[in-house]
């Protein structure tokens, strides 16, 4: 196996980073971290509260600090990142330095379905979440692609099957 054994999952909201990251970590025998949950744990508040009190910029600062802390620790891990983590050059640098990067790709229609019930994503608490998801995709898709060592579509595959696809692709890196 010739890849960096710390794995970071990137991609948009609802692509399945948290779900698949957890399964992949079990498969690889590594600890799993979700940067969104780690930010909440360190702050003692949920993401909507952080956006409300500190703005998106406040959240992004916490995100950069948390991602760096997790990746600079000595152990190999699997980490799911928030959908916007790819925006900051310093996040891209540290992710590229310490990990094999997997872009979980999906359609906006799937994202809408998968995120419909969850109120924990402040950017989607709007009249037209579809328009927001499309606009975010335009900006972020090239950044996810640029960062990725592996790209996997999660559209028509179960989480288990996505993990099998990832394992095959990792083993041929
Ligand atoms: N391959 C899949 N097939 C069907 N449903 C899926 C798949 N992957 C994830 N889901 C479902 O979609 C929802 C969102 O998935 P998840 O929370 O893992 O996305 P995420 O990429 O971590 O999103 P965010 O960036 O907002 O944290 C969950 O309810 C999950 O069960
Ligand atoms: O796409 C985004 O910018 C976000 C995605 C979520 O994972 C969270 O990190 C937060 O809701 C912001
Ligand atoms: Mg997630």
């Amino acid at each position: 196996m010739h890849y960096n054994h710390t794995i970071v999952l990137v991609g948009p909201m609802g692509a399945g980073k948290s779900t698949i990251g957890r399964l992949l970590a079990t498969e690889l025998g590594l600890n799993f971290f979700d940067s969104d949950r780690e930010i909440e744990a360190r702050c003692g508040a949920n993401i909507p509260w952080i956006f409300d009190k500190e703005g998106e910029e406040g959240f992004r600062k916490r995100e950069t600090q948390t991602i760096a802390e997790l990746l600079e620790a000595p152990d190999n891990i699997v980490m799911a990142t928030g959908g916007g983590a790819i925006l900051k050059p310093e996040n891209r640098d540290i992710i590229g330095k310490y990990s094999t990067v997997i872009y979980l790709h999906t359609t906006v229609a799937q994202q809408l379905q998968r995120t419909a019930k969850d109120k924990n994503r402040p950017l989607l608490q709007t009249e037209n979440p579809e328009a927001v998801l499309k606009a975010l995709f335009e900006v972020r898709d090239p950044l996810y692609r640029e960062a990725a060592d592996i790209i996997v579509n999660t559209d028509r595959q179960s989480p288990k099957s996505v993990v099998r696809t990832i394992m095959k692709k990792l083993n041929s890196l």
Side-chain angles (χ1 to χ4, degrees), residues 28-40:
L28 292 168
L30 296 175
N31 284 324
F32 171 70
F33 295 92
D34 185 321
S35 67
D36 284 338
R37 301 292 82 78
E38 294 299 317
I39 293 162
E40 292 181 324

Side-chain angles (χ1 to χ4, degrees), residues 13 36 47 51 59-60 63 82-84 120-123 140:
M13 290 181 267
D36 284 338
I47 290 179
F51 267 72
F59 173 77
R60 297 291 171 213
E63 186 172 53
N120 202 36
R121 297 173 174 97
L123 297 176
R140 296 174 178 181

Side-chain angles (χ1 to χ4, degrees), residues 120-135:
N120 202 36
R121 297 173 174 97
L123 297 176
L124 300 184
Q125 306 314 305
T126 138
E127 292 273 289
N128 192 348
E130 184 175 10
V132 171
L133 286 171
K134 277 186 179 157

Side-chain angles (χ1 to χ4, degrees), residues 11-17 83 103-118 121 124 129-130 132-138 140-141 144 154-155:
M13 290 181 267
K17 302 178 297 295
Y103 173 18
L104 296 184
H105 181 274
T106 191
T107 61
V108 167
Q110 275 288 7
Q111 284 182 263
L112 263 181
Q113 270 190 21
R114 291 183 188 166
T115 55
K117 281 187 229 113
D118 196 336
R121 297 173 174 97
L124 300 184
E130 184 175 10
V132 171
L133 286 171
K134 277 186 179 157
L136 294 177
F137 181 82
E138 291 302 316
R140 296 174 178 181
D141 176 66
Y144 296 137
T154 72
D155 238 16

